[in-house]
Every structure is written in structure tokens, then in C-alpha cells.
Amino acid sequence: QSAFRSGIDIEVYLLDPVVRALEMPRVNLLIADDVGLGKTIETGMLLKALEQRGQAERVLLITPAGLTAQWKEELHNKFGLSEFRIYGENFQIEEEREWGMYKHVIGSIDRFKDENHLEKLLRADNWDLVIFDEAHRLSRRQYGLKFDASQRFQLANYLRPKTKAMVLLSATPHQGKQDKFQSLLMLLNPDRKEEIQTLALNPEILSEMMIRNNKSDVTDLEGNFIFKGKTTRAIRVAQDEAMREFDESLQSYLRKGYLTASEMGQAGYAIGFVMTVYRKLAASSAIAINKALNNRKLRLLQEAESVAANDISDHDERYVGEAEEKQLEALQGKEFFEGELEQLDILIAESEEVLKHDPKLQKFLNELMPSILASHKSEKVLIFTEYRSTQDYLKQALEQQFGVGSVDLINGSMKHQDRKFAIRNFESGGQFLISTEAGGEGINLQDKCHIMVNYDLPWNPMRLVQRIGRLYRYGQKHRVIVFNLYSPESMDDQIMELMHERIEQVVGDLSSVSGEFN
């Protein structure tokens, strides 16, 4: 109890990582509690316990860029851990010896991975403990015998020999790709590489390295379940004739694009990328794919030069949607295949027919919303989409029906202060908050909202878990209701198949750690 400032509740499950860490000869632990169970609180308690043992004199905490200030505030407010300073904001380093002045450091993962900042960081003395928040961002893919490591993974790898202890925090450490998950475990225990590579034969090592509490299991001191649970409902959107025609034409266009890409080998990568993004945009909204196709036609007519495109392979997956939309604008103005311009004309005309009576938007506005608001007209609703174009489309439609000022937006391009203002507005006078994947990072809305609509589905099921975690988290007093809009007999089916494949991989690898995966 002494670890906390007044007014903070301690639940029994929050002690699990602390107890486990103190039993370990060296603290190398993956804390993978379900989204919203309080990993910040667990981390603060762990730091306090290690501090009392003299094992946390030099601590480096690496977080996503948008969360550095939030971590600093919470560690100060809840635990009196007030020595933490944010690298690049509260202090700069010019000379190596200056590191001695800063023993509790918070830094942004994307700042530290940059070559200049990385060089400075690696000149610091060794750390007692290095902590990575949102550790699933430390990705490394395996291709045959070779590894393709992101800059974020390389940062962690460079820091591994410079610390006695490492703690990784992630509610979704396994994203459905076994090689990426195994790489995370190898960061914690490089000496156990061979056992980790044969995880199916050695499932017991997972429970030695990883701890996970699940919302459906945690109870208070009296044995009462803390969470009220969640209900997920699939809202099926039936295709009308216009939607069916457009879907068939788009699939034909994509097949030609993919065929051209495969024939060109490495040079066809850009075409394959575009085709995949078009599939996702079409599954998101009629307006998103319509805008993309119109932009493509315009570039062909102008024979526009290719703009230097930024590499998005190192993006956190939640930022990829917004990055993809920008990337499409960077494409050269040459046909991918003969007759592409004619096909674009047909597709644009057909997508405009869909927009005249968009079945998905009609289902959302005229059926789903009235049913949500039937018993409580001012019910607050959080809406998720992956793309900015879909976000703007929904804002316009909702404001036409519910009035200007009823909708707030948050997305990845907004400044931290603007996001905070939009959230404050939503929680006080607003009714609808539309968030992109990137905009939703680190937002906690459990106090005022318990209803979520996923207007589109991410390709990665763990991102769906992260979305739901914005509402279904510690402090939520209601049952959380989640609505997933889904159109069978369309490209949504392919996305669902991909999600199921990834879920099966997660279940196979993690069933030994937590009953939820059975």
C-alpha cells in the first residue's frame, strides 16, 4: 500500500508481476495483461519494489511518442516516482558525461531508434532496468534463414547487453505471426534461443517468461468479478445490386494488378502494394475507394511523376492505414497494365452508383444508430475506422442527422493537445467520437462511454483487441457493447479468413499461458 499515493485502489491481480519479478534471479519478463488491466500501475509497483531493493537506480523507459508525457505524469501522480525526465523534451545530451545527471529516463521509441539519438543513447552507462511499452512494436520477421529486423527491434537488441534486466509490456505481444513473437521472447532470454524456436515442444518456458491476467478472470478481495464483461455483435450489411457490380469489377481490376505485379517480380512491389490497399479501402467504405480511384485516374491523365514515397514497413500497424492513404498519392502516372484507364472509368462510375444509396452507411445511420440510442438518446458512441477518408465521410453523415458539433474526430496527424481537446469535448458535450487506429493510441474512455462501433475491421485481430481496450478497461462500470459492421460475400470475407488464421496461430502458441486461449 505504501507504494501508492492516496486514492488509488490496489487489486490483488496487480501484484502478480511484482511477486514474479522479485522471485526471478534476473528480471526478464513479458507483462502481457489484457488491454486496460493497468500495466502502468503494475510497472509503478514493480519500480517501487526494485527501488527498495536497490535494483532500480538507473531506469530507462521507452514508450510510443504520444505516451511519454502520460507515463511521466502517472508515475509521479500515482507513485511519487518524480525523477523521470523525458529525453529530447525535458533534457538534451551533448556530451557523454551528461548522462550521469539523468538516472530515470523516459524516451520515445521513434526518437531513440533514429541514428543520431541511438548513438548518444548507447554512450550512456549501463542501466539497471530497461522497460519497453507497447513491445509488440519491436518486430522482426524471418525469411528462410535471414531476419528482417525493424529499427525498433534493433534498438532493443542494442540495449539488451547494456542492462541487467528487461521488462516488455504488451497486451497483444502475439500478432498472429509466430516468428515475430519468438523474436520478442529471444530479446528477453537470448540464451534460450533454441527452446524458443521450438516453442510447441517447450510450452512451459512461456509461463517462466510471460505473465498474463485476463479481464474475464480477475476478481477483487471479496472474490467478485471486477469487469462487467463485453458483448460483441456482428451487423451484417447486405449487398445491393450496385454494390455487387462494383465488387465484381474491382476484383477483376485487382486480379489484373496482382498478375502484373507477380510478372514484374521485385519491380512490381508498388503495384502489389496498391492492389492490397485498394482491397482494404473498399472494405472500409464506398467513399474511401472512390476517392482513391479518382486520385489514380487524375495522376494517369496528368502523367504525374512519382513522388518519393516514405517507407512504411517500420510503422506501428495502427498507423499504417493513414500512411497508406498518403502513399497512394505518391504513385507515378503510368498505367499498371494495358487498358487500366478504361477500367478506372468503369470502377469510378460504379462506385458513384454505390454512393447514391450506400448500403453500409444506411445500415449504420438508419438501423444501428437508432437501435443504440433507442433507450438513451444522448448515449455516447465511439466509432473506429482505419482511414481518414472514411472518418470524414462518417462525420458529415452523422452531423447531418444529429447536428453540427455532435461529432469529434481524433487521428494520427493531430497534435497531442488537439486530441486531448477533442476527447474532452466528447466526454462533456459531444455524442460521437470517430477515431482512426492511430488516433486511438493511448486514449482511455471508460468513464463516459461503453458502446463502440467498428465501421471497418483491421486485418490483424490483435488490433481489434486494442480498439476494444479503449473502453473495456479498469474503471469501466458498464458492460461494453461492440458492434462490428461486416458485409458477407465481399472482400470482408477475405479479411475475416485472414483474421481467423492469425487467431489460430495466437491460440496455438499461447494456450499454455492463459485459459482464455483455449
Side-chain angles (χ1 to χ4, degrees), residues 179-217:
D179 53 346
K180 285 187 174 185
F181 178 61
Q182 288 178 348
S183 290
L184 270 190
L185 299 179
M186 285 177 209
L187 268 180
L188 286 179
N189 269 300
D191 298 341
R192 303 187 74 174
K193 180 181 175 182
E194 287 183 14
E195 292 170 90
I196 291 165
Q197 283 177 325
T198 54
L199 201 56
L201 303 175
N202 309 284
E204 71 285 347
I205 67 166
L206 256 192
S207 52
E208 294 170 27
M209 300 167 65
M210 173 177 168
I211 189 162
R212 181 172 178 87
N213 285 301
N214 186 252
K215 290 195 198 86
S216 59
D217 300 328

Side-chain angles (χ1 to χ4, degrees), residues 62-65 108-114 118 132-140 148-159 166 168 180 184 187 311-320 441:
I62 299 178
T63 82
S108 146
I109 189 167
D110 286 326
R111 179 170 276 151
F112 275 143
K113 79 178 188 190
D114 177 80
L118 178 61
F132 276 94
D133 185 24
E134 302 281 343
H136 51 271
R137 292 179 170 216
L138 309 175
S139 62
R140 182 178 73 166
D148 177 21
S150 69
Q151 287 177 293
R152 296 190 183 105
F153 185 90
Q154 287 169 337
L155 164 65
N157 213 22
Y158 287 135
L159 286 170
M166 184 175 275
L168 304 180
K180 285 187 174 185
L184 270 190
L187 268 180
D311 179 24
I312 60 170
S313 61
D314 206 30
H315 271 76
D316 177 84
E317 281 201 2
R318 276 171 284 179
Y319 285 77
V320 165
E441 180 184 59

Side-chain angles (χ1 to χ4, degrees), residues 361-374 376-381 383 393-408 429-434 453:
L361 187 68
Q362 297 304 318
K363 186 86 172 182
F364 171 75
L365 274 184
N366 301 330
E367 291 184 41
L368 179 56
M369 279 304 149
S371 72
I372 289 172
L373 305 177
H376 185 11
K377 281 190 175 179
S378 56
E379 187 75 73
K380 293 185 186 294
V381 183
I383 301 153
Y393 183 53
L394 293 179
K395 181 179 192 286
Q396 189 180 351
L398 284 168
E399 286 195 331
Q400 278 180 351
Q401 195 143 321
F402 297 95
V404 175
S406 60
V407 183
D408 288 286
Q431 184 162 16
F432 306 102
L433 180 66
I434 310 173
V453 177

Side-chain angles (χ1 to χ4, degrees), residues 90-332:
N90 300 145
F91 75 95
Q92 307 282 348
I93 292 290
E94 298 301 329
E95 296 178 33
E96 191 175 322
R97 59 188 170 81
E98 293 171 9
W99 278 112
M101 299 158 59
Y102 306 101
K103 295 183 178 179
H104 287 71
V105 175
I106 298 176
S108 146
I109 189 167
D110 286 326
R111 179 170 276 151
F112 275 143
K113 79 178 188 190
D114 177 80
E115 198 175 309
N116 294 329
H117 296 291
L118 178 61
E119 189 187 341
K120 287 181 181 178
L121 177 64
L122 295 180
R123 289 208 299 260
D125 288 343
N126 285 2
W127 304 91
D128 293 325
L129 174 63
V130 172
I131 302 168
F132 276 94
D133 185 24
E134 302 281 343
H136 51 271
R137 292 179 170 216
L138 309 175
S139 62
R140 182 178 73 166
R141 293 298 316 274
Q142 186 166 357
Y143 299 94
L145 297 175
K146 293 183 178 178
F147 289 101
D148 177 21
S150 69
Q151 287 177 293
R152 296 190 183 105
F153 185 90
Q154 287 169 337
L155 164 65
N157 213 22
Y158 287 135
L159 286 170
R160 179 65 271 194
K162 293 185 72 67
T163 179
K164 301 169 190 169
M166 184 175 275
V167 171
L168 304 180
L169 310 173
S170 173
T172 52
H174 200 316
Q175 304 277 305
K177 303 277 181 72
Q178 190 184 52
D179 53 346
K180 285 187 174 185
F181 178 61
Q182 288 178 348
S183 290
L184 270 190
L185 299 179
M186 285 177 209
L187 268 180
L188 286 179
N189 269 300
D191 298 341
R192 303 187 74 174
K193 180 181 175 182
E194 287 183 14
E195 292 170 90
I196 291 165
Q197 283 177 325
T198 54
L199 201 56
L201 303 175
N202 309 284
E204 71 285 347
I205 67 166
L206 256 192
S207 52
E208 294 170 27
M209 300 167 65
M210 173 177 168
I211 189 162
R212 181 172 178 87
N213 285 301
N214 186 252
K215 290 195 198 86
S216 59
D217 300 328
V218 297
T219 58
D220 60 20
L221 285 166
E222 283 75 49
N224 303 309
F225 287 109
I226 292 169
F227 290 88
K228 308 291 183 192
K230 77 173 190 299
T231 301
T232 305
R233 294 179 187 159
I235 306 299
R236 289 174 168 262
V237 178
Q239 286 188 326
D240 63 5
E241 191 56 37
M243 205 170 167
R244 216 174 346 265
E245 278 184 20
F246 173 69
D247 198 58
E248 284 173 11
S249 298
L250 182 63
Q251 299 227 31
S252 167
Y253 172 85
L254 296 181
R255 276 195 295 273
K256 285 185 183 174
Y258 279 128
L259 184 62
T260 306
S262 67
E263 286 170 353
M264 291 173 69
Q266 191 88 26
Y269 171 80
I271 300 174
F273 164 79
V274 174
M275 297 302 124
T276 301
V277 177
Y278 283 174
R279 280 173 70 195
K280 292 163 78 177
L281 288 166
S284 177
S285 70
I287 197 71
I289 186 64
N290 173 269
K291 281 192 165 185
L293 294 169
N294 270 301
N295 287 339
R296 174 76 187 138
K297 179 184 173 183
L298 193 63
R299 290 192 72 78
L300 285 180
L301 291 174
Q302 293 173 338
E303 295 188 349
E305 288 298 310
S306 232
V307 180
N310 297 317
D311 179 24
I312 60 170
S313 61
D314 206 30
H315 271 76
D316 177 84
E317 281 201 2
R318 276 171 284 179
Y319 285 77
V320 165
E322 291 187 42
E324 284 170 343
E325 282 181 301
K326 289 178 184 172
Q327 290 289 74
L328 289 181
E329 295 167 15
L331 293 164
Q332 65 184 38

Side-chain angles (χ1 to χ4, degrees), residues 460-471:
N460 183 338
M462 295 303 105
R463 278 164 56 208
L464 203 52
V465 172
Q466 292 279 2
R467 286 182 181 187
I468 293 167
R470 302 307 103 215
L471 301 183

